[in-house]
């Protein structure tokens, strides 16, 4: 089983930056689709960014495009989410998620297709 362990997060002010990390272990394949997902109370989980198995970021939600950057470091099996220009609407519980292989355009933004999840880390942005 793939295990995802997250780090980062915290409380910051509007305009600040944060970097989230997610360490991957227990892989049985080198080809995994990774995603960053966030959830706020009363709302469905939102896929913020997706990283293809090649290591390239392939999708960003419109709400974060231009501000967030997702990346993958294959040398230490870690993915990152660099969050810049944060605002209060970015406040959420952030998860990293994974699925072996690739996903279609529809699947990669649907959380139920991801089979492994990190423990989540809270990001709070105050104005």
């Amino acid at each position: 089983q793939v295990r995802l362990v997250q780090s980062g997060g915290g409380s910051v002010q509007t305009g600040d930056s944060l970097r989230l990390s997610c360490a991957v272990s227990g892989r049985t394949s080198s080809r995994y689709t990774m995603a960053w997902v966030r959830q706020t109370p009363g709302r469905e989980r939102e896929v913020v960014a997706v990283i293809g198995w090649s290591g390239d970021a392939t999708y960003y939600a419109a709400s974060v495009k231009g501000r967030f950057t997702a990346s993958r470091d294959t040398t230490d099996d870690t993915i990152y989410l660099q969050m810049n220009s944060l605002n209060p609407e970015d406040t959420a519980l952030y998860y990293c998620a994974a699925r072996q292989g690739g996903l279609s355009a529809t699947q990669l933004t649907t959380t139920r297709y991801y089979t492994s999840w990190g423990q989540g880390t809270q990001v709070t942005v105050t104005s």
Side-chain angles (χ1 to χ4, degrees), residues 65-76:
K65 197 169 186 178
R67 299 188 297 119
F68 291 10
T69 302
S71 60
R72 169 183 252 150
D73 186 344
T74 58
T75 62
D76 60 0

Side-chain angles (χ1 to χ4, degrees), residues 46-57:
E46 176 188 25
V47 177
V48 174
V50 179
I51 308 170
W53 58 265
S54 66
D56 298 322

